[in-house]
Amino acid sequence: MEPAVTAKEGEMTVELEGSEIEYVSYGGEHHLPLIMRLVDEELSEPYSIFTYRYFVYLWPQLSFLAFHRGKCVGTIVCKMGEHRSTFRGYIAMLVVLKPYRGRGIATELVTRSIKVMMESGCEEVTLEAEVTNKGALALYGRLGFIRAKRLFRYYLNGVDAFRLKLLFPRRELHTSLQMMATKNENHEEMHLLQENFCS
Amino acid sequence: MAEKVKLPINPSIPSGEQTVWADISFLLDSACEGLRDGELIHGENFNLFAAMSALEIMDPKMDSGIVRRYYSVDEAIDSGAAPIPLSSDRTLDVQCVIDIMDHLLSCEATWHKGHSLAQTVFSCIYLLKPDRTTSHALLHSYCRVIRATCNLVVSVVSDARTNEEEDLFTMTYGLPLKGDGDEKCLSMLHAVEETIARQLRACKAPPSKRRVVEDMEPLQTNPDLEEEYCKALLCRIRFRKHFFHALTAMRRPQGRGLELARKHIASCLSELDSILKSSKFLCSNACGTCEDGLEDRTTASGCQPIGFDASLNCRLSAPTPPRAIKILSWIKGVEYFQKLLHDLDILCSYSLDPLLEGVLHFVIEFHKFQPDLVARAHLQVLLIHDGKLYGRDPVFTVISKAAALPEVLKDYEIQNEVLGQLGQLVINLLKILCTNAAWQRRKLGKILQDWRVSYMQLELGFKKEFREISSTLDENLCAKISKHILIWVEEQTYWIASRFLSLGFDLELYSPSEYCMVYWYMYVVFIRLAEKTHLKMLTSHETGKRKAKKKKDSLKDLARDYQIPPGVLLLQCHIYLAEALTMMLAALRNEHKVFTSLGPFNTELERFNQHFELLQKASIPDHMSFFSYEESTMNTRLSNPVMLNCFKDAQRIAKELRSSFSHDPEKMAELRRIEQVAEHNGVALNLICRNSSTASGDGEFWRSGSARDGVLGSPDGFRRVSIWVRSTWPTGMVKSSFDGDGDGEFFRDMKVRRDLGV
């Protein structure tokens, strides 16, 4: 099962300063009802509590919540793992409440997750989005995702999906460039992270 | 967690011999008390991933059982959900049967469009119990023909099976798809048709003659409605009859039934017209329900049909999600069948071209009508049967013709394992070309490597093989076989690559900031394709000429009367267009910072590698990489005269080619489009250049005026600059207004204009 992804930006009904939004990494069972409520409200696909637990228990570091004055207004749920000999991140759910869209909250949530994936040694990130979800497609397009495939009638409502993919620069190239720039400061740390994950 | 409710144990699921129903709620309750939030008791082989496929009982979004009205078909029938007759009032009975027929048509169309058979056609309770309807001849015969038709369609799609995405279509587990005696459906249907036809004649006969046919019992009790009801039923029954005949005829081997099928298709279409016309009468009879129009109704009368329950099959068919699906409206259903019949008619009028090039051309043209699964499945079983083209021509014969092997060689049977594989590749290619565009593109990308490998194996294989058989065959001939086939394999490989690339436009896989690299890739692939096509033609030309001019054998003569074939020139047009578009987009990017795509996580290199990974893996073309692309575009300037010349050349050649393709309307349309794209862009390029040269300061000009509205301010007033790029190659274009504010949103008001003729 691969869950649907929705992120619609555009409408804006709440005036807020960027600094008013607080981003929090998934912190435990008390966050679960908040995530579930958001996803249930905004996405049509029915998920059992086990689906949420599958993601947030195994990859808590990839899930984030956005709060506005104590209210959870957005969330992202992801995973990563081996897929046909590549180590790949996967964005499973992305939701921002309607009145809070168009303020860059979704972009910030995605960016945070992707950064962790990158640091954890992912070679690429993928997800599916409905071909009609212009907001999400634009958001991911800006972040460098390409439309790798079209999936015929992927959703139960008969709508096609795009498989979106973001390929990170090759590790060797990336690290060697980084070595030149930062004299190998981060290299060991990143390597360690990857080992931790694999063990 | 669901609220605790004391449920009675359902007696309709009986205890077994050694089993008995027991209430374990208290056990679960006490187990739950010992658990904290997030804890899971599980067996070793049940991890969190497995837990995801768990269903939460009593959750209406997941529990199929909870939304079910009846526990079984029998229970539904006992509750009077599907009475026979439908009404003791015979007029009402006829009306209700017509509603069932109409709703079934909507269901059938919905099934063809990708929903499960269980939730659509077989939501009809009458279909689920084939023997129950025996006493109602009209309903019985109609149910039989529906089951038989579904069966026929399932078998075509199963035979054609190449596409796992459409698996749901052939899922018939647990459904009574083959009722005993359904094979006799046509004779039964015919008998019913005869009776109603006589009833129609009887009611239309003038009173003086009525006595002759007096013994005929009318269809129903209201004489004023008799004629229209007879007509409404007849067109529905005849439609089913002809549709069944058409499908049966199309399945005859080697396309022998195509001509007959066309006649039945024509009849189907005319019966569909009558069905549509009957709506007025049926609607006005079903009192007062006609006001809201027919947009959502699944019957011509607008009445809810009796005897349908989509939730009944939930238990039968595991992949059925619990939610209800939306059945197409009756109007949409009729339109679907009209479209299907038109598509099938195109198939049936196909001449079974023995040349592979012609087959490929036909298939590609056929796709432009966007045929649905059923039509595509028929195309495939027609093209490939018994491992032969049309079940008739052995694949090697097809390849020999395609590779233009000299006549003497065509009869010579070469037993070669690699050639056998090549045959399989051709069959696979044809099958893939019959699938939906999304799936097709993925598969084409994957087989590119197979074709490449096959080329290399053939090259090696030929050398070895010919050493062995050279004692029996003229060595010169061996060399010829090898040369012809190898050139053809390469040409075919590049053809697949170009199809792969252009399908990306159809599927909207490219974003404007990627157009430049896509055009560049098309450009390099087109060049190779043209080269190989030309080489193939030259080789066969040479062989032909040699034979004719054996005695003279003058190379000068050859050179003098040789002209570049129109097919190659057409490719040349595409090469010019792709080159010019690449350069234009590159220049705009280089000089005006439009189309740049600067993501925070990667660069154009990664995007290039992702889009063309499969081509690169198969070395298509050799020695072409991101760096070749970068090198050829990084310094392109708008002032470079080459791009304008390319547009001009494309336009010129397209004009010249008109006389060569005057017999082919599709090619003529393609030429017209090429001319227009070239012309429009030539003008746009001139304009952009002129404006650029008058711009004050670097990039300043592009931000001036009302650039946000896609209108450029310029010293001589408002001017809108549009460039034309192809949204599909080569069928349609995107008109894009140039919004020069440099924020990369160049394609702000992109409009697809499929027909540039307007």
Side-chain angles (χ1 to χ4, degrees), chain B residues 474-491:
Chain B
D474 180 0
E475 211 166 309
N476 198 19
L477 282 181
C478 295
K480 251 179 216 159
I481 298 178
S482 135
K483 189 176 170 190
H484 280 255
I485 289 190
L486 287 175
I487 292 173
W488 174 75
V489 170
E490 280 208 290
E491 184 203 10

Short mmCIF file of all heavy atoms in Angstrom, two decimals, chain B residues 474-491:
data_model
loop_
_atom_site.label_atom_id
_atom_site.label_comp_id
_atom_site.label_asym_id
_atom_site.label_seq_id
_atom_site.Cartn_x
_atom_site.Cartn_y
_atom_site.Cartn_z
N ASP B 474 26.39 -18.46 -50.14
CA ASP B 474 27.31 -17.47 -50.66
C ASP B 474 27.72 -16.49 -49.55
O ASP B 474 26.87 -15.92 -48.87
CB ASP B 474 26.58 -16.72 -51.79
CG ASP B 474 27.47 -15.65 -52.39
OD1 ASP B 474 28.61 -15.51 -51.92
OD2 ASP B 474 26.99 -14.99 -53.32
N GLU B 475 28.99 -16.33 -49.39
CA GLU B 475 29.48 -15.50 -48.28
C GLU B 475 28.99 -14.06 -48.40
O GLU B 475 28.69 -13.41 -47.41
CB GLU B 475 31.01 -15.53 -48.28
CG GLU B 475 31.59 -15.39 -46.90
CD GLU B 475 33.06 -15.77 -46.90
OE1 GLU B 475 33.40 -16.85 -47.41
OE2 GLU B 475 33.85 -14.96 -46.42
N ASN B 476 28.89 -13.62 -49.60
CA ASN B 476 28.41 -12.28 -49.87
C ASN B 476 26.98 -12.08 -49.34
O ASN B 476 26.64 -11.05 -48.78
CB ASN B 476 28.46 -12.06 -51.39
CG ASN B 476 28.41 -10.58 -51.72
OD1 ASN B 476 28.70 -9.76 -50.84
ND2 ASN B 476 28.06 -10.28 -52.94
N LEU B 477 26.20 -13.13 -49.54
CA LEU B 477 24.82 -13.06 -49.07
C LEU B 477 24.76 -12.97 -47.54
O LEU B 477 23.96 -12.24 -46.98
CB LEU B 477 24.03 -14.29 -49.54
CG LEU B 477 23.58 -14.27 -51.00
CD1 LEU B 477 22.80 -15.54 -51.32
CD2 LEU B 477 22.69 -13.05 -51.26
N CYS B 478 25.64 -13.72 -46.91
CA CYS B 478 25.69 -13.69 -45.44
C CYS B 478 25.95 -12.27 -44.96
O CYS B 478 25.29 -11.77 -44.05
CB CYS B 478 26.81 -14.57 -44.92
SG CYS B 478 26.56 -16.29 -45.28
N ALA B 479 26.91 -11.66 -45.57
CA ALA B 479 27.27 -10.30 -45.19
C ALA B 479 26.06 -9.38 -45.35
O ALA B 479 25.81 -8.50 -44.54
CB ALA B 479 28.42 -9.82 -46.02
N LYS B 480 25.30 -9.65 -46.41
CA LYS B 480 24.14 -8.81 -46.67
C LYS B 480 23.07 -8.95 -45.59
O LYS B 480 22.51 -7.98 -45.12
CB LYS B 480 23.55 -9.17 -48.04
CG LYS B 480 23.79 -8.10 -49.06
CD LYS B 480 23.22 -8.50 -50.38
CE LYS B 480 24.15 -7.99 -51.46
NZ LYS B 480 23.98 -8.74 -52.70
N ILE B 481 22.80 -10.20 -45.26
CA ILE B 481 21.79 -10.43 -44.21
C ILE B 481 22.18 -9.67 -42.96
O ILE B 481 21.40 -8.92 -42.38
CB ILE B 481 21.69 -11.94 -43.84
CG1 ILE B 481 21.26 -12.74 -45.05
CG2 ILE B 481 20.71 -12.13 -42.69
CD1 ILE B 481 21.18 -14.23 -44.78
N SER B 482 23.43 -9.85 -42.59
CA SER B 482 23.90 -9.23 -41.37
C SER B 482 23.78 -7.71 -41.43
O SER B 482 23.28 -7.07 -40.52
CB SER B 482 25.33 -9.72 -41.12
OG SER B 482 26.16 -8.68 -40.75
N LYS B 483 24.19 -7.15 -42.54
CA LYS B 483 24.17 -5.70 -42.69
C LYS B 483 22.73 -5.16 -42.61
O LYS B 483 22.42 -4.24 -41.85
CB LYS B 483 24.80 -5.34 -44.04
CG LYS B 483 25.04 -3.85 -44.24
CD LYS B 483 25.77 -3.64 -45.55
CE LYS B 483 25.82 -2.16 -45.92
NZ LYS B 483 26.30 -1.99 -47.31
N HIS B 484 21.86 -5.78 -43.39
CA HIS B 484 20.47 -5.31 -43.43
C HIS B 484 19.81 -5.40 -42.06
O HIS B 484 19.16 -4.46 -41.62
CB HIS B 484 19.67 -6.15 -44.43
CG HIS B 484 19.88 -5.73 -45.84
ND1 HIS B 484 18.95 -5.03 -46.55
CD2 HIS B 484 20.93 -5.92 -46.67
CE1 HIS B 484 19.41 -4.80 -47.78
NE2 HIS B 484 20.62 -5.35 -47.87
N ILE B 485 19.98 -6.54 -41.42
CA ILE B 485 19.28 -6.72 -40.14
C ILE B 485 19.84 -5.79 -39.08
O ILE B 485 19.09 -5.18 -38.32
CB ILE B 485 19.33 -8.20 -39.70
CG1 ILE B 485 18.42 -8.99 -40.63
CG2 ILE B 485 18.88 -8.36 -38.24
CD1 ILE B 485 18.15 -10.39 -40.24
N LEU B 486 21.16 -5.65 -39.07
CA LEU B 486 21.76 -4.79 -38.04
C LEU B 486 21.31 -3.34 -38.20
O LEU B 486 20.98 -2.67 -37.22
CB LEU B 486 23.28 -4.89 -38.08
CG LEU B 486 23.85 -6.20 -37.52
CD1 LEU B 486 25.35 -6.27 -37.72
CD2 LEU B 486 23.48 -6.35 -36.06
N ILE B 487 21.29 -2.87 -39.41
CA ILE B 487 20.84 -1.48 -39.64
C ILE B 487 19.39 -1.33 -39.17
O ILE B 487 19.02 -0.38 -38.50
CB ILE B 487 20.95 -1.10 -41.13
CG1 ILE B 487 22.42 -1.03 -41.54
CG2 ILE B 487 20.27 0.24 -41.41
CD1 ILE B 487 22.61 -0.82 -43.03
N TRP B 488 18.60 -2.34 -39.52
CA TRP B 488 17.19 -2.25 -39.15
C TRP B 488 16.99 -2.26 -37.63
O TRP B 488 16.19 -1.50 -37.10
CB TRP B 488 16.41 -3.40 -39.80
CG TRP B 488 15.00 -3.43 -39.34
CD1 TRP B 488 14.01 -2.58 -39.73
CD2 TRP B 488 14.43 -4.29 -38.35
NE1 TRP B 488 12.86 -2.88 -39.06
CE2 TRP B 488 13.09 -3.92 -38.21
CE3 TRP B 488 14.94 -5.33 -37.59
CZ2 TRP B 488 12.23 -4.56 -37.33
CZ3 TRP B 488 14.08 -5.98 -36.71
CH2 TRP B 488 12.75 -5.59 -36.58
N VAL B 489 17.76 -3.11 -36.94
CA VAL B 489 17.63 -3.18 -35.48
C VAL B 489 17.96 -1.81 -34.87
O VAL B 489 17.26 -1.33 -33.98
CB VAL B 489 18.53 -4.28 -34.88
CG1 VAL B 489 18.58 -4.17 -33.36
CG2 VAL B 489 18.02 -5.65 -35.28
N GLU B 490 18.99 -1.20 -35.39
CA GLU B 490 19.35 0.12 -34.86
C GLU B 490 18.26 1.15 -35.14
O GLU B 490 17.89 1.93 -34.28
CB GLU B 490 20.67 0.59 -35.50
CG GLU B 490 21.89 -0.02 -34.88
CD GLU B 490 23.09 0.88 -35.00
OE1 GLU B 490 23.57 1.03 -36.14
OE2 GLU B 490 23.50 1.46 -33.98
N GLU B 491 17.76 1.12 -36.36
CA GLU B 491 16.70 2.06 -36.71
C GLU B 491 15.51 1.88 -35.78
O GLU B 491 14.95 2.84 -35.23
CB GLU B 491 16.25 1.84 -38.16
CG GLU B 491 15.23 2.85 -38.63
CD GLU B 491 14.37 2.36 -39.78
OE1 GLU B 491 14.44 1.15 -40.11
OE2 GLU B 491 13.62 3.17 -40.34
#
